[in-house]
Amino acid sequence: MSTKNPTGERTDKNTKGEEPRKHFIEEIIDRDRASGKHGGRVATRFPPEPNGYLHIGHAKSICLNFGLAAKYGGTCNLRFDDTNPSTEEMEYVESIQKDVSWLGFDWEDRRFFASDYFEKFFELAVDLVKKGLAYVDSSDMDAIRKKRGDYNTPGQKSPYRDRSVEENLDLLGRMRAGDLEEGTAVLRAKIDMESPNMNLRDPIMYRIRKASHHRTGDKWCIYPMYDFAHGYEDAIEGITHSICTLEFENHRPLYDWFLDNVAPLASRPQQIEFARLNLTYTVMSKRKLLELVQGGDVSGWDDPRMPTISGMRRRGYTPKAIRDFCDRIGVAKRDSMVDVALLEHAVREDLNETSPRVMAVIDPLKLVIENYPEGEEEWFDAAYFPDAPGRGTRKVPFSREIYIERDDFREDAPRKWHRFAPGQEVRLRYACLVKCERVVKNDKGEVVELRCTWDPKSRGGTSPDGRKVKGTSHWVSARHALKAEVRQYDRLFDKENPLAGEGDYKGHLNKDSLGVIEGAVVEPSLAQVKAGDRVQFERIGYYCVDSEDSAPGHLVFNRTVTLKDSWARIERNLEKDTSASGSGKRGQNRPKAKAEGNAEENAAEESGDQITIGTFAKVDLRVGIIRSAELVEKADKLLKLMVDIGEGRLRQVFAGIRSAYPEPASLVGEKVIVVANLKPRQMRFGLSEGMVLAGGGGTERLCVASFDGELEPGDKVS
RNA sequence: UGGGGUGUAGGCUAGCGGUAGGCCCCAGGUUUUUGGUACCUGUCAUCGUAGGUUCGAAUCCUACCACCCCAGCCA
């Protein structure tokens, strides 16, 4: 219902994303509280099965359940759903507890185990038997499966379905006592063998399992099934909202059936389902993660490439980043696959705030400052947080021989290269300006050393005469350098969805997901770092001291995530410019776009960077005369041009050349080159019916290509 | 060929009858002793499709289509 206030403004609509929007579960809770259900109480639970380590998908559920409790002043229990002794272990309950508290959530004194309720479950089962709603089926597994039917054929009743209550009670007692062997009998709920919902075709409640349970030992040899147990666990604990993932939607009628057919318990919980998290470039099922661990594809559950909480912790992720991520992805019911870039964004955001900056060189190249006295050294002040100098500084030693990043040097510098190259001056961060004078190579022609000179007046890295030095590089003094091992982690899989398509997902493991670099060097202030410490290696990325393998004499750093690298982007575009002569829109080379590229583009791609003359000939270039030119409002780069190309009408063209022609009137009368057969493009200001060729790039040196001479509008340009 | 769900830009997500908003990605720019950060700007959606109701539909109705889940003595 829409309501309007006296000024006519809608009052029930979300204002510009101010209030965090509510997801459907919060709406359900709001409704329940408004109607007084559960006395307004909110009680949730996080119910992991202790048969594996928690992963980022569980984090979503943890944040949801604990978050809801916090938001509504309720409680959230940690409950181990340990109803299957054959897969569960104490190791897992330890790790789960560690992960939940590390994420920042507190279950206080509410740690529960389903196994604590085993006696109660048995009572409930007996109750159901007495009501004629459960029976012992002595069929074997195979017979039960066959009689269950399938989607198109109803199931058939078991021959044991109509045993008397007495017989059932007796049999159930013997199941419990261990008189019956595994697989010879189960307790089943008597519901409906013809139900279109397979879950309702007399689901199994108890199976015989003569295995030792990690908590109850050998006390039991029958164990309850999930559907039978879960609702009761919730009810016993007074849970109000029992949140689980979508695949349990089909089980909800069962959840309700079990609750409705026994005497009322402490509360009547409601099951609500949401979509589990999927992340690009990884897998999320416990089974597959186990396979990776057991198959030796990773070093363990806490391998920093794993999407497990423990792996991410070791990798350097922060609890806050993970919580933020979970907030951003939202809660809904549609299947989705979240871009791992969003996760990376969340860590960068937190780490940018919290990680002190230090200098490290991953792939060292020696640089000798020829006019710096041998044997001398000086120590420069360097801020841990350059954007907040108050947050502390350290001293960084400088001397005649230093290491720089090999990647920061190019013998043949491309355009826009601001870093080391012959003859180019570069700033050494916090230290000084140096100029590369000479390159020393070995027999194989590899660069082994740079010979430079420095400007003593630039101490601290300042420019004494105000000369522009665009590039700043990180470095480490050779004499003072600490050796370090650096592990350059990358995505575990090289395919967005490793599960899609044919073939085993393991075939898509990223061969380069772990790059171990032994010969890195770091500044001496890092000598005392402790396991888990996080830093930013300036200009490179965020790193974390490995909690297992790092030691004072042997530092090991794990790459959490790289810094954003806009040089990589520039370089990509440069390559594209040289191969495609800068025509058309740049920067749309997302993987999808490539696949959907039209035939011509594909043809061009097939022959590498070159196109055939035939392809080029398809471009219809015409002489055009600009008849009018004006600024486009709300578009600071565009000019609207009306161009005559001899068609008897003017073409409207929007061109991004405003920076070069602040007074567009000067363009009127220019003879220019127009791409005449470009597919018209609908822009918010109107239709753009072609393109005017221009030279230069960026804002500097931009100019439309024009002709002099006796050319007529519409003349072909070749 | 049963049942249960879900469909809003490249990816997430809001919208709850008044004509699509946010975040990520991408592109460009300003500031910068990190090609980082911050800030600004921009591109991209006839809301799965087709009908209908209505002055008005992403929102209501109908039909269709696509995708996901279900035949463990797993959870």
Side-chain angles (χ1 to χ4, degrees):
Chain A
M1 258 335 110
S2 168
T3 54
K4 293 188 176 182
N5 66 20
T7 58
E9 282 170 0
R10 282 166 53 80
T11 54
D12 57 347
K13 193 158 185 172
N14 271 329
T15 49
K16 295 269 158 68
E18 299 288 332
E19 276 295 306
R21 295 151 333 259
K22 287 182 172 169
H23 54 70
F24 77 101
I25 299 178
E26 291 171 319
E27 285 178 352
I28 291 172
I29 293 177
D30 283 345
R31 255 181 273 132
D32 289 347
R33 279 156 52 93
S35 71
K37 195 170 170 184
H38 305 117
R41 203 165 52 85
V42 173
T44 59
R45 101 266 95 115
F46 173 62
E49 183 191 8
N51 68 346
Y53 279 63
L54 260 27
H55 53 63
I56 181 79
H58 293 109
K60 178 181 182 182
S61 174
I62 293 167
C63 291
L64 214 206
N65 280 295
F66 279 93
L68 249 18
K71 174 167 183 172
Y72 290 98
T75 53
C76 179
N77 300 350
L78 173 62
R79 179 172 72 229
F80 292 95
D81 207 1
D82 54 349
T83 55
N84 184 357
S86 39
T87 55
E88 296 155 5
E89 291 171 30
M90 220 45 209
E91 177 201 348
Y92 295 126
V93 346
E94 311 278 349
S95 77
I96 288 168
Q97 291 179 164
K98 180 175 179 187
D99 289 349
V100 174
S101 24
W102 179 76
L103 277 173
F105 298 103
D106 185 2
W107 56 88
E108 296 169 330
D109 57 350
R110 295 180 313 279
R111 182 188 73 157
F112 302 116
F113 290 85
S115 52
D116 289 342
Y117 313 138
F118 280 178
E119 196 61 54
K120 179 70 182 173
F121 293 158
F122 192 79
E123 283 170 27
L124 292 164
V126 167
D127 183 40
L128 256 10
V129 169
K130 285 180 178 162
K131 287 176 174 155
L133 292 174
Y135 64 96
V136 173
D137 191 338
S138 303
S139 312
D140 61 28
M141 214 191 285
D142 228 37
I144 289 179
R145 183 170 36 239
K146 286 201 181 100
K147 293 215 163 203
R148 188 147 36 213
D150 59 37
Y151 303 145
N152 303 310
T153 53
Q156 293 165 272
K157 288 173 181 165
S158 162
Y160 304 99
R161 198 173 198 256
D162 294 316
R163 290 218 254 229
S164 68
V165 169
E166 291 68 32
E167 189 180 4
N168 280 323
L169 252 18
D170 173 56
L171 255 13
L172 178 58
R174 286 164 57 190
M175 280 170 67
R176 174 175 183 170
D179 298 345
L180 270 36
E181 292 311 308
E182 283 187 23
T184 62
V186 289
L187 184 72
R188 291 232 253 171
K190 195 188 283 186
I191 305 182
D192 178 7
M193 287 307 290
E194 299 186 5
S195 170
N197 181 345
M198 302 286 290
N199 295 121
L200 263 17
R201 321 247 259 228
D202 288 10
I204 291 166
M205 295 165 60
Y206 269 119
R207 76 286 213 183
I208 301 170
R209 192 112 314 167
K210 295 190 172 167
S212 190
H213 185 279
H214 63 100
R215 297 196 84 239
T216 60
D218 296 323
K219 182 171 179 207
W220 292 88
C221 46
I222 56 173
Y223 290 92
M225 298 286 288
Y226 170 89
D227 287 308
F228 164 50
H230 204 87
Y232 294 140
E233 296 165 16
D234 288 337
I236 290 167
E237 293 177 16
I239 299 302
T240 57
H241 302 269
S242 176
I243 299 166
C244 62
T245 46
L246 247 30
E247 65 269 29
F248 291 100
E249 211 150 23
N250 295 325
H251 296 240
R252 194 168 62 225
L254 241 193
Y255 183 96
D256 291 334
W257 187 93
F258 279 114
L259 254 14
D260 290 340
N261 283 289
V262 298
L265 293 135
S267 80
R268 174 51 219 250
Q270 174 189 5
Q271 175 179 308
I272 303 168
E273 311 84 12
F274 73 101
R276 64 178 340 136
L277 170 68
N278 294 296
L279 247 199
T280 55
Y281 299 103
T282 192
V283 293
M284 204 70 91
S285 86
K286 271 198 273 189
R287 205 197 90 233
K288 293 200 178 60
L289 295 176
L290 215 211
E291 283 171 9
L292 292 171
V293 171
Q294 291 180 336
D297 302 290
V298 295
S299 65
W301 285 101
D302 70 342
D303 186 298
R305 293 166 293 179
M306 291 280 272
T308 51
I309 305 297
S310 50
M312 294 172 72
R313 175 167 57 233
R314 189 166 170 195
R315 171 94 168 239
Y317 273 80
T318 62
K320 180 165 188 295
I322 294 174
R323 279 186 258 119
D324 282 351
F325 170 74
C326 290
D327 280 347
R328 285 166 189 262
I329 57 177
V331 177
K333 291 195 72 159
R334 74 187 78 123
D335 293 306
S336 62
M337 166 93 56
V338 175
D339 193 340
V340 74
L342 185 57
L343 216 208
E344 292 173 349
H345 172 81
V347 229
R348 286 197 189 100
E349 192 174 67
D350 188 28
L351 260 16
N352 178 50
E353 268 310 301
T354 54
S355 296
R357 319 284 130 128
V358 294
M359 291 198 284
V361 176
I362 307 291
D363 184 10
L365 171 62
K366 185 172 274 184
L367 182 154
V368 180
I369 300 158
E370 295 183 314
N371 59 341
Y372 193 91
E374 253 169 278
E376 219 170 273
E377 67 179 47
E378 55 196 295
W379 292 66
F380 291 108
D381 284 316
Y384 278 124
F385 294 91
D387 295 333
R391 290 228 261 166
T393 60
R394 83 284 185 191
K395 296 273 189 190
V396 188
F398 180 74
S399 61
R400 179 179 157 91
E401 296 194 357
I402 65 169
Y403 292 114
I404 63 156
E405 204 68 64
R406 185 169 289 276
D407 243 16
D408 279 346
F409 172 76
R410 291 287 167 85
E411 197 163 13
D412 297 306
R415 279 199 305 134
K416 301 183 180 179
W417 179 258
H418 299 152
R419 289 120 88 149
F420 293 100
Q424 187 145 307
E425 189 168 45
V426 175
R427 171 180 300 104
L428 292 175
R429 179 133 239 233
Y430 301 120
C432 61
L433 302 178
V434 295
K435 188 182 214 166
C436 177
E437 309 284 2
R438 217 147 43 78
V439 177
V440 183
K441 297 183 180 178
N442 64 12
D443 307 340
K444 287 181 256 172
E446 298 162 342
V447 176
V448 293
E449 192 175 296
L450 262 31
R451 309 292 291 193
C452 297
T453 54
W454 77 312
D455 178 353
K457 290 200 287 295
S458 67
R459 273 198 174 76
T462 53
S463 173
D465 51 5
R467 80 182 99 109
K468 279 262 185 291
V469 177
K470 276 194 166 174
T472 299
S473 281
H474 58 279
W475 53 276
V476 171
S477 164
R479 181 154 26 107
H480 306 85
L482 261 33
K483 282 209 167 24
E485 175 181 333
V486 173
R487 297 176 182 169
Q488 305 284 65
Y489 292 108
D490 202 347
R491 311 177 160 167
L492 227 202
F493 292 88
D494 53 22
K495 221 177 146 212
E496 251 191 29
N497 182 359
L499 269 25
E502 288 110 71
D504 187 40
Y505 69 99
K506 283 197 181 185
H508 302 300
L509 278 164
N510 176 9
K511 311 281 178 298
D512 304 317
S513 62
L514 168 59
V516 178
I517 291 167
E518 307 274 2
V521 291
V522 301
E523 60 169 78
S525 74
L526 257 18
Q528 303 306 322
V529 289
K530 293 187 297 294
D533 282 356
R534 300 183 182 92
V535 293
Q536 183 198 100
F537 289 162
E538 285 208 60
R539 304 210 310 130
I540 303 176
Y542 294 99
Y543 287 79
C544 163
V545 178
D546 188 73
S547 51
E548 299 297 318
D549 305 330
S550 193
H554 179 75
L555 298 173
V556 179
F557 291 93
N558 296 331
R559 178 165 77 193
T560 309
V561 66
T562 61
L563 252 33
K564 283 217 224 161
D565 183 358
S566 50
W567 166 252
R569 200 184 66 218
I570 294 168
E571 200 172 31
R572 264 202 316 272
N573 290 342
L574 244 38
E575 282 166 16
K576 229 175 303 152
D577 281 355
T578 50
S579 64
S581 345
S583 75
K585 279 191 75 175
R586 297 186 309 269
Q588 291 199 326
N589 65 331
R590 308 218 70 200
K592 275 253 174 66
K594 213 185 279 173
E596 291 165 3
N598 63 37
E600 283 154 58
E601 276 172 10
N602 290 340
E605 267 181 20
E606 276 164 21
S607 52
D609 287 347
Q610 298 182 324
I611 60 171
T612 63
I613 199 153
T615 304
F616 181 72
K618 290 181 186 166
V619 181
D620 186 18
L621 299 177
R622 300 283 171 170
V623 173
I625 297 184
I626 296 177
R627 298 300 186 194
S628 78
E630 57 189 73
L631 304 177
V632 178
E633 264 186 66
K634 290 195 161 179
D636 54 359
K637 290 196 306 283
L638 292 184
L639 291 185
K640 178 176 145 186
L641 309 174
M642 297 305 291
V643 189
D644 178 0
I645 60 168
E647 294 175 311
R649 71 176 194 99
L650 299 183
R651 290 252 200 145
Q652 173 173 280
V653 175
F654 291 95
I657 53 173
R658 178 162 170 177
S659 59
Y661 302 95
E663 292 187 17
S666 67
L667 278 167
V668 174
E670 283 293 320
K671 288 177 185 158
V672 296
I673 306 172
V674 176
V675 181
N677 62 340
L678 197 66
K679 190 176 175 189
R681 200 154 64 98
Q682 186 62 51
M683 305 179 70
R684 66 152 50 159
F685 328 97
L687 201 62
S688 189
E689 308 168 288
M691 180 187 276
V692 171
L693 297 189
T699 48
E700 21 184 318
R701 310 184 342 266
L702 182 66
C703 172
V704 296
S706 63
F707 292 104
D708 293 325
E710 300 300 308
L711 295 168
E712 293 293 329
D715 281 353
K716 184 136 180 86
V717 178
S718 57

